[in-house]
Amino acid sequence: MNYASHKDSATLLFTDIEGSTRLWEQRPETMPLALASHDALTRQAIEDNRGAVVKMTGDGVYATFDDPLDAVLATLQLQQALADPDSTHGIGLRVRCGLHAGVVERRDNDYFGNTVNCAARIMGAAHGGQILMSQAVAGPIHERLPEGVTLRDLGSVRLRDLTNSEHVYQLLHRRLRRDFPALRSLEATPNNLPQQVTSFIGRDLELRQASRLLAGARLLTIVGPGGIGKTRLTLQVAADALDNYADGVWFVELASIIDATLVPRAVAQVLGLSEDSSTPFAQSVCAHLASRRLLLVLDNCEHLVDACARLAEAVLRAAPDIRILASSREPLNIAGEQTYVLLPLTLPESGSDAQITARSEAVQLFVERARLRHPDFSVTDQNSNVVAQLCARLDGIPLALELAAARVAVMSVDKIAERLGDRFRLLTGGSRTALPRQQTLRALIDWSYDLLGNTEKILFARLSVFAGGWTLDAAENVGADPDIARDDVLDLLTGLVQKSLVVPDRQGERFRMLDSLRDYARDRLQERGEAAAVRTRHRDHFLVFAEQAEPFLEGGPEQPAWLARLDQEHDNLRAALASSVESADHTETGLRICGAVHRFWLYRGHVREGRRWCDEALANAAGSPPTPARAKALNAAGALAWRLGDIVAARSLLEQALHISREQKDLQCEGRILGNLGGVAIHQTDSVAARAFLEQAVALHRALGNQTLEARVQGNLAALAINENRYAEAHAPLTRCLALSRSSGNRMIEATAMSHLGFLAQQDGNYTEAQALHEHALAIAREFGVREFELEEVRHLGEIALARGDMKTARVQFRHALTTSKEIGNPLEIALCLEAAAALAVQVKQHRQAAGFLGAANAQREAIVAPRPHGEQKQYDAALSACREALGESAAAAAIAEGHALAPEAMVANALAWMEC
């Protein structure tokens, strides 16, 4: 007999009473009577329409129908019966209903399979009084609906089983409520929970237990060995808890992070926070979460357990409404932590018949995954004992079961079990059950590894050097050598994908390994004695990649695509940098990578991290002869220090870079450095030096024929003229800048020129033209993803609105600019936004507030040694004069001093709060 293939096509109905817990608390005497009436009405509606009750679920029902129309009519009858509160003893029961049809597995008057799970999830997406159904139900009954009954297409909904979306319809009838809030789907609450490609099987008890523990704990850590299914359970617990967190559920994947200091940064990135030069990431995360209600999911904490523990403890102390759900191979061991030990999937008892064997969670998972490779696979009387033994020998570990199931396409279950048994005896030397779970998982991976061909084994080990995934090109460059021809890598990689040892993305453009497999492969690489050689090829590949990207980071139509590629490869670049700075033999590599990608760090808000890499690379190269690479790294460090507000250090670094570039006669690098020195000197109001640096840079770029870099410096010359209040002189360099940027197709530099022209138009009182120019520049900044330039344009648009007397728009724009300035950590822009807020406060006659903003801006400028140029000083003096006139000298001075004394975080928070009003 074939038990797992005992299948029926059925339509399933799930119902549930919305808010039943609250009703029990409010009406404890009446609820038993109301629930009894509910049960009777429900059973009658089902049986009147030729359905069968599978089970009552406490507050709902689970029923099956042969005809989907009967299921629809039963739900309609039930909802109409419950519409009258008198039928349920005066308690209005709002019942949500979900219908789905498909193939189910019947065992002992119960049903199993994905169809059952999907029906329950559709019901879970509904609101009380609402009837939802899938396309599988709606399609067959669409033309058969009785008069007065229609369907409303609600479109595709991503259900909380985290797998595929489902097309959902709502049943409409004149006696039923029609309009409801958004469905309780993954889209209904902010979240970034990743979609899963396989179904969630078993773990019903664990899901209920973990969900209950999470409801009563600030921190729940799901603990278990590698491959046990911690991440999948964590995701499902998080998905089911979405309704409890108004500010969402946010998933932070830590597996690819090597450096523990980057844990707060990874969380900040998921939360949409960026660097603040004066605030550590951990502090920013705590401040952001302090007033929010959300669930933070930290996945794969084991290799970063100390850093995760510190951050979790800080968050829990700072944010009373935050819950943390973590997965790790060991507890975080902090106060208030609730741990939940995840055990293997349930196994069939020894000697069980095929029917009982097929019910165990381990066998269900094995069968489901095996059918992905062999659609007709099932548990039968002939193979049930072997399947049970195989699952037992794999200890019910999900990853082990999935790896074994992948072999069903080419091997019988008997052969799989036979080979598996051999490998376990070889590795354990005795009883498997006495060994730690990790060793059991390693034994399984050993077995899977032994099934590979020799060249597949070599490539598998070599791929472990990648962090965060890789492309085919990277695999070919790093994996190929005299033992593996480059042309063979594609076929070998395809084989590893087919054997479930490598996972492709949906587009098939990038690949990755599961964490435990990568650890195993890394050990094999070490055993082969070629780890150093492969890491060198990895480092060299990403050096080439970084230097390929470098020219596109200057601007142009391909810049966004290259920035996106650098986003994807950032972990690999980190690994390459870490490898280079750890070795005195590879100092040039670290310097070259830093010099090549520093603009990526600038554009994407990784300024502090980039500065740290530059400092480490430069320190590693200390004492070595000066080289062009050292000059480029010093230039990068100077540019990053400038953005962090460390102006004095920036100028020193850039002057060192200039000295080396001139020694090396590297004219292109010299021109870049001179341009940066000119920008730093402008911020220091050192006009003489700024002009000298910029004019030298123009001459070099023109001589070298580099239109892009000359255009950028021409824009800086225009900025210098504007800062010195010599507006007429700005037009000539701007004209040149526009011509060069347009001829070279560099739209970002063109946008910079437009921004300057917009400022000049504003000074002439031509606000319409000024606004159009700044809006055009802003659109380009957003297209290219350059947030720093975006915030400048938003601030300029606020200034135009203020000049036009549109206080509401000005307030919105200034607040947006200040928020972004804080997120990316640009201290000079923070000062400029505070001064803009002061100008706004003067206009609305809130002079004390204005004086406080001026004092705060002064403190910010003093901290970064950034005096005001002529135009900004003029605006400051006007605001200061208005405050003194309105408040008096003494009161104005006191307000300025009060603002000056505020901590940077407090002064920004005050300004944002004021502009929110």
Side-chain angles (χ1 to χ4, degrees), residues 153-200:
D153 188 345
L154 300 182
S156 184
V157 175
R158 191 177 169 206
L159 302 176
R160 295 187 187 179
D161 61 0
L162 299 172
T163 52
N164 296 327
S165 298
E166 188 70 42
H167 205 111
V168 173
Y169 297 80
Q170 178 184 335
L171 187 71
L172 301 180
H173 186 272
R174 60 183 178 80
R175 293 186 58 191
L176 301 181
R177 179 181 170 186
R178 299 174 63 90
D179 297 321
F180 295 88
L183 298 183
R184 291 184 170 100
S185 62
L186 283 175
E187 292 91 345
T189 302
N191 74 90
N192 69 332
L193 297 178
Q195 184 163 323
Q196 302 299 293
V197 297
T198 55
S199 56
F200 185 63

Side-chain angles (χ1 to χ4, degrees), residues 88-165:
T88 50
H89 298 269
I91 297 180
L93 299 181
R94 293 162 48 83
V95 172
R96 50 185 181 165
C97 303
L99 293 162
H100 184 50
V103 175
V104 294
E105 296 179 9
R106 182 187 298 177
R107 308 184 206 121
D108 287 348
N109 297 319
D110 202 350
Y111 295 82
F112 301 87
N114 291 334
T115 300
V116 179
N117 296 332
C118 187
R121 295 292 174 189
I122 291 172
M123 182 270 289
H127 296 275
Q130 190 174 31
I131 301 170
L132 297 181
M133 66 185 70
S134 66
Q135 177 69 50
V137 176
I141 58 96
H142 184 72
E143 301 296 331
R144 303 167 59 202
L145 290 171
E147 185 176 351
V149 180
T150 59
L151 300 179
R152 174 182 289 170
D153 188 345
L154 300 182
S156 184
V157 175
R158 191 177 169 206
L159 302 176
R160 295 187 187 179
D161 61 0
L162 299 172
T163 52
N164 296 327
S165 298

Side-chain angles (χ1 to χ4, degrees), residues 13-16 38 42 46 53 55-57 59-63:
L13 165 65
F14 276 80
T15 75
D16 180 58
H38 160 274
T42 302
I46 292 167
V53 174
K55 64 178 69 171
M56 303 301 293
T57 59
D59 293 336
V61 69
Y62 165 23

Side-chain angles (χ1 to χ4, degrees), residues 100-324:
H100 184 50
V103 175
V104 294
E105 296 179 9
R106 182 187 298 177
R107 308 184 206 121
D108 287 348
N109 297 319
D110 202 350
Y111 295 82
F112 301 87
N114 291 334
T115 300
V116 179
N117 296 332
C118 187
R121 295 292 174 189
I122 291 172
M123 182 270 289
H127 296 275
Q130 190 174 31
I131 301 170
L132 297 181
M133 66 185 70
S134 66
Q135 177 69 50
V137 176
I141 58 96
H142 184 72
E143 301 296 331
R144 303 167 59 202
L145 290 171
E147 185 176 351
V149 180
T150 59
L151 300 179
R152 174 182 289 170
D153 188 345
L154 300 182
S156 184
V157 175
R158 191 177 169 206
L159 302 176
R160 295 187 187 179
D161 61 0
L162 299 172
T163 52
N164 296 327
S165 298
E166 188 70 42
H167 205 111
V168 173
Y169 297 80
Q170 178 184 335
L171 187 71
L172 301 180
H173 186 272
R174 60 183 178 80
R175 293 186 58 191
L176 301 181
R177 179 181 170 186
R178 299 174 63 90
D179 297 321
F180 295 88
L183 298 183
R184 291 184 170 100
S185 62
L186 283 175
E187 292 91 345
T189 302
N191 74 90
N192 69 332
L193 297 178
Q195 184 163 323
Q196 302 299 293
V197 297
T198 55
S199 56
F200 185 63
I201 294 176
R203 301 297 198 194
D204 291 337
L205 176 63
E206 291 89 341
L207 184 58
R208 291 195 301 272
Q209 291 174 334
S211 297
R212 185 171 63 250
L213 291 174
L214 178 63
R218 297 289 312 283
L219 165 64
L220 173 63
T221 304
I222 296 178
V223 177
I228 202 69
K230 300 185 296 295
T231 295
R232 191 64 179 88
L233 178 63
T234 298
L235 286 169
Q236 196 59 59
V237 171
D240 285 351
L242 274 170
D243 286 345
N244 300 326
Y245 301 96
D247 295 310
V249 174
W250 301 101
F251 178 80
V252 184
E253 170 56 67
L254 300 173
S256 63
I257 294 180
I258 300 171
D259 185 350
T261 64
L262 297 177
V263 169
R265 186 184 183 288
V267 176
Q269 279 189 317
V270 168
L271 295 174
L273 306 178
S274 298
E275 288 186 351
D276 180 337
S277 60
S278 60
T279 307
F281 270 121
Q283 189 174 337
S284 296
V285 168
C286 290
H288 177 77
L289 296 177
S291 61
R292 286 170 167 79
R293 181 175 178 81
L294 61 77
L295 177 63
L296 185 64
V297 183
L298 303 178
D299 190 51
N300 286 302
C301 298
E302 52 271 1
H303 61 304
L304 305 163
V305 67
D306 290 338
C308 291
R310 287 193 297 271
L311 181 63
E313 187 171 58
V315 167
L316 294 178
R317 289 181 183 276
D321 289 324
I322 298 301
R323 297 292 185 273
I324 299 176

Side-chain angles (χ1 to χ4, degrees), residues 556 559-560 738 742 746-755 773-787 789-790 793:
Q559 185 186 49
L738 275 175
R742 285 170 176 167
N746 197 314
R747 296 181 64 220
M748 273 306 303
I749 296 179
E750 179 184 356
T752 303
M754 289 179 177
S755 179
L773 286 163
H774 283 302
E775 286 177 346
H776 193 173
L778 176 61
I780 295 174
R782 287 174 171 164
E783 176 188 344
F784 280 67
V786 182
R787 296 187 71 202
F789 187 61
E790 175 187 345
E793 294 312 293

Side-chain angles (χ1 to χ4, degrees), residues 525-657:
L525 184 67
Q526 197 69 37
E527 290 170 6
R528 290 183 56 80
E530 59 177 11
V534 177
R535 281 198 294 269
T536 296
R537 292 202 294 273
H538 176 275
R539 185 171 55 238
D540 291 345
H541 171 80
F542 285 101
L543 169 61
V544 171
F545 170 77
E547 292 183 335
Q548 284 176 335
E550 183 180 7
F552 298 101
L553 299 181
E554 299 289 352
E558 295 185 71
Q559 185 186 49
W562 276 94
L563 286 170
R565 290 184 65 185
L566 286 161
D567 285 332
Q568 288 183 319
E569 302 293 3
H570 200 182
D571 285 333
N572 279 312
L573 289 168
R574 288 167 173 149
L577 282 165
S579 175
S580 67
V581 300
E582 289 168 0
S583 171
D585 297 330
H586 299 281
T587 57
E588 285 286 287
T589 300
L591 296 173
R592 288 169 65 185
I593 293 175
C594 288
V597 303
H598 78 279
R599 283 198 169 277
F600 162 70
W601 289 327
L602 285 168
Y603 291 152
R604 288 300 203 244
H606 307 297
V607 182
R608 186 179 288 113
E609 181 187 352
R611 172 78 188 278
R612 178 170 62 83
W613 283 122
C614 288
D615 288 347
E616 290 185 17
L618 288 165
N620 192 41
S624 60
T627 63
R630 185 177 181 85
K632 287 183 68 175
L634 284 165
N635 178 56
L640 293 162
W642 174 16
R643 291 302 188 276
L644 287 170
D646 195 354
I647 304 297
V648 174
R651 188 154 179 174
S652 173
L653 289 163
L654 291 169
E655 286 173 346
Q656 293 176 58

